[in-house]
Amino acid sequence: MDVYEAVDGRRAVRAFGDEPVPREVLERVLTAATRAPSSGNLQPWHAYVVAGEPLAELKRRATARALAGDPGDEREYPMYPAELTSPYTDRFAAAAAQRYEALGIERDDPERPMKIAALNSRAFGAPVVLFCYLDETMGPGQWADAGMYLQTVMLLLRAEGLHSCPQVMWTMYRKTVNEMVGADEGLVLFCGVSVGFEKEGTPRLRTGRADTTETVSFVGM
């Protein structure tokens, strides 16, 4: 697959089919992804790939917490800055409105947070979830490395005909995830990435993007 096609085709899919993902495909993707940029070649990421009955049990436990109204575990890092301003708040609101509509959840539904949490905790039906961790001693540069690693993984998944959905939501249930995957002491859960084949017949959502004139400045050319 052409790189431009992979970038254009990558999106957060929130409806996966039951078709299993072959282990050899995931091994091929994750081996290739080791070439992702890494400052000082630290390669600070550690991935746990979960499928089968262990994933089914994890989904059951996380969903039970979501449906019980569990607010989740104390965050180890903030998902967003405490004070967002325009244009970031505008982009956030627009994307959220599109996403809720696609999921069939009314914006003024009083049970919206619980419904969204339950959908997330089921990994949108994905047969595989990759959990990305970093050592707690790592700083902003290494977190940026982990982001580049995950982007590389997601683009390679597209080359294999697979889709994905990065989910920071899993950090809300990090203690449950840690217990299920057997995460080493001193690791911080960055996010989960649901992986699978897109469910057929599902409406496709593509959130808008800011024009490059808003985010790019050319200097000296």
Side-chain angles (χ1 to χ4, degrees):
M1 180 183 286
D2 178 82
V3 176
Y4 281 90
E5 292 178 328
V7 171
D8 186 62
R10 191 220 63 81
R11 53 195 171 80
V13 165
R14 292 181 173 83
F16 294 91
D18 297 328
E19 185 178 352
V21 178
R23 175 170 173 160
E24 58 267 24
V25 172
L26 294 173
E27 289 180 340
R28 182 163 59 243
V29 164
L30 295 173
T31 298
T34 62
R35 302 307 306 175
S38 172
S39 178
N41 200 30
L42 297 187
Q43 303 167 70
W45 50 79
H46 187 92
Y48 292 87
V49 183
V50 188
E53 180 53 35
L55 179 58
E57 177 61 20
L58 175 57
K59 289 180 180 180
R60 283 193 288 268
R61 293 188 187 184
T63 300
R65 293 184 64 179
L67 294 177
D70 187 330
D73 303 320
E74 182 181 357
R75 290 195 177 277
E76 295 182 289
Y77 72 92
M79 186 182 299
Y80 302 105
E83 295 184 9
L84 278 178
T85 57
S86 182
Y88 312 111
T89 50
D90 304 327
R91 295 170 187 165
F92 181 91
Q98 286 181 282
R99 186 162 57 249
Y100 298 145
E101 181 179 0
L103 293 172
I105 300 175
E106 297 293 335
R107 194 169 181 79
D108 57 354
D109 186 339
E111 296 185 345
R112 185 185 69 177
M114 183 182 69
K115 290 179 179 179
I116 292 173
L119 285 170
N120 272 278
S121 64
R122 297 186 183 108
F124 304 107
V128 175
V129 179
L130 178 154
F131 293 98
C132 182
Y133 284 80
L134 292 94
D135 190 283
E136 62 185 3
T137 61
M138 295 299 165
Q142 291 72 53
W143 285 74
D145 286 349
M148 290 188 283
Y149 168 72
L150 291 178
Q151 173 77 338
T152 302
V153 169
M154 291 186 283
L155 293 180
L156 289 167
L157 289 171
R158 287 302 303 124
E160 297 285 353
L162 292 158
H163 277 285
S164 61
C165 181
Q167 296 177 269
V168 178
M169 176 286 308
W170 283 107
T171 60
M172 294 173 57
Y173 307 124
R174 60 182 174 81
K175 292 181 180 179
T176 301
V177 176
N178 293 350
E179 181 181 347
M180 288 299 302
V181 305
D184 294 338
E185 190 73 22
L187 290 180
V188 175
L189 178 59
F190 180 13
C191 71
V193 179
S194 295
V195 178
F197 294 96
E198 186 174 17
K199 187 175 183 179
E200 294 184 5
T202 303
R204 295 185 176 184
L205 169 65
R206 283 186 67 97
T207 53
R209 291 293 188 266
D211 190 87
T212 53
T213 57
E214 296 181 37
T215 59
V216 179
S217 298
F218 291 96
V219 181
M221 62 183 303

